[in-house]
Amino acid sequence: MKREGVPSIIGVAPNDMFTCKDSIDHLVHFLDGELSAEDEAHLQEHLGGCPPCVDFVNTYRATSGMARRALVKKMPAEVGTALQAFLRSKLAAK
Amino acid sequence: MTQTGTHDDRALLSRAQAGDISAFEELVGRHQDRVYGLALRMTRSEPDAAEIAQDTFLSAYQHLPEFRGEAAFGSWVHRIAANNALMRLRHQRVRDLVVEEPVEPEFTDRGSLAEYPETDWSRRADDKVLDDELRRAIQLATDGLAEGYREVFLLKDVEGMSYEEISEMLGISVPAVKSRLHRARLGLRQAIDDFYKEV
């Protein structure tokens, strides 16, 4: 969701182009759709002329999903059995 | 959990709240992987994760009468597990304080990237099978993040909690949560980038 009239987060003056640093500093807000219209325009303008930053944004965006997949853990069967036994002993005592 | 799953949870929850222990056990079976996974990612300790799962489900059972069902059962136990894991980490932190800051990109004086990404590996993010070595590299990089960054990254990007929930759990502001998340993502992005540069 864009918020009209929200001041620029890092204080870039109107009509100044974003640098790579400005663009990368804004990424959380950009991906959350929280940039002001002005900042988003600056960022899109920068990305339009900076292929390395496009690669950076794409890989930054992909990082969370890759980590989520890499860090999947399942409860081992023996831990599940111990959990059941633990809960039965506690619940039966109630 | 699908909508059907959530619906089934509600039926099981009603039975469990009425004292049906087998219904509660079925709920446990449906959510144990998620709870254990969260606890293991947060604490990096299998014994701790097993204990957190036990504490979490016992606590959920003890508080069943108070659970009104505004949230899904899964989200509720997930949050109990996250709080339990954080509490355990607070105790451990005194023993093994990690102070490494995430690696951030370097810029020239004019604000340009000092080093360009060599490849856009984001296209491989959808590969069905994640390479074992890449999986290990991501695990190592996540484990190596300083706690404040690691917790926020795991809670937001892996566990899917909201900024507001994390802010409340960690006792820091939403902007601070976002700032830590950004730096953690930068560090992990760099670790994955380094992995692809080496292969």
Side-chain angles (χ1 to χ4, degrees):
Chain A
M1 183 176 62
K2 304 240 182 358
R3 295 183 298 163
E4 297 295 333
V6 175
S8 173
I9 292 163
I10 55 169
V12 173
N15 302 321
D16 278 359
M17 265 190 80
F18 269 20
T19 62
C20 299
K21 184 174 187 317
D22 297 332
S23 303
I24 289 167
D25 283 348
H26 276 76
L27 284 182
V28 164
H29 303 283
F30 174 58
L31 296 184
D32 287 343
E34 291 177 342
L35 280 187
S36 67
E38 183 188 323
D39 279 344
E40 171 129 5
H42 280 307
L43 195 145
Q44 295 290 5
E45 187 184 8
H46 178 80
L47 294 180
C50 185
C53 270
V54 172
D55 287 349
F56 196 99
V57 172
N58 288 341
T59 50
Y60 177 96
R61 197 198 306 259
T63 296
S64 307
M66 286 176 94
R68 205 162 33 244
R69 292 174 61 204
L71 301 175
V72 166
K73 310 282 179 196
K74 278 197 160 187
M75 180 180 272
E78 66 275 15
V79 177
T81 306
L83 172 64
Q84 273 182 355
F86 169 82
L87 289 174
R88 277 188 188 155
S89 70
K90 295 288 180 185
L91 272 45
K94 296 208 167 282
Chain B
M1 178 80 36
T2 61
Q3 270 198 326
T4 313
T6 306
H7 178 74
D8 292 345
D9 273 4
R10 286 205 189 112
L12 287 168
L13 183 64
S14 298
R15 284 171 45 205
Q17 284 179 316
D20 182 344
I21 290 177
S22 70
F24 183 72
E25 286 179 339
E26 204 174 325
L27 280 170
V28 171
R30 295 165 72 103
H31 295 281
Q32 64 186 27
D33 280 342
R34 195 171 169 217
V35 163
Y36 178 82
L38 176 148
L40 183 54
R41 284 185 287 272
M42 296 286 285
T43 63
R44 293 165 288 187
S45 156
E46 290 176 5
D48 282 353
E51 278 185 30
I52 287 168
Q54 291 184 351
D55 293 347
T56 296
F57 286 115
L58 181 60
S59 173
Y61 185 79
Q62 287 166 337
H63 291 93
L64 271 185
E66 301 145 39
F67 183 65
R68 303 258 176 252
E70 287 100 352
F73 177 80
S75 305
W76 182 54
V77 286
H78 204 218
R79 193 167 169 153
I80 297 173
N83 277 320
N84 283 341
L86 286 171
M87 220 160 17
R88 201 164 283 237
L89 285 172
R90 296 288 170 273
H91 290 297
Q92 285 173 348
R93 193 162 297 173
V94 181
R95 312 201 282 270
D96 37 58
L97 190 64
V98 181
V99 289
E100 271 181 61
E101 294 290 308
V103 177
E104 296 194 25
E106 289 182 11
F107 300 97
T108 65
D109 291 344
R110 302 181 66 176
S112 298
L113 273 170
E115 192 184 334
Y116 288 176
E118 283 180 20
T119 54
D120 177 1
W121 41 260
S122 65
R123 297 185 189 103
R124 303 192 207 176
D126 296 329
D127 286 354
K128 278 193 178 153
V129 181
L130 214 55
D131 183 277
D132 277 347
E133 284 184 34
L134 173 59
R135 198 183 291 273
R136 269 194 294 279
I138 293 173
Q139 178 80 63
L140 272 176
T142 311
D143 287 351
L145 286 174
E147 283 303 320
Y149 301 101
R150 207 174 63 83
E151 289 169 359
V152 167
F153 178 77
L154 290 174
L155 292 173
K156 178 70 178 73
D157 281 359
V158 180
E159 310 303 339
M161 292 184 176
S162 69
Y163 289 122
E164 289 72 20
E165 281 179 303
I166 299 167
S167 158
E168 193 187 322
M169 273 192 241
L170 298 181
I172 58 175
S173 67
V174 168
V177 172
K178 291 187 182 190
S179 168
R180 289 186 190 184
L181 177 67
H182 179 56
R183 294 191 62 194
R185 283 176 177 169
L186 288 175
L188 291 178
R189 194 211 75 85
Q190 188 60 52
I192 301 173
D193 205 52
D194 291 344
F195 172 85
Y196 279 115
K197 275 181 194 157
E198 284 167 18
V199 292

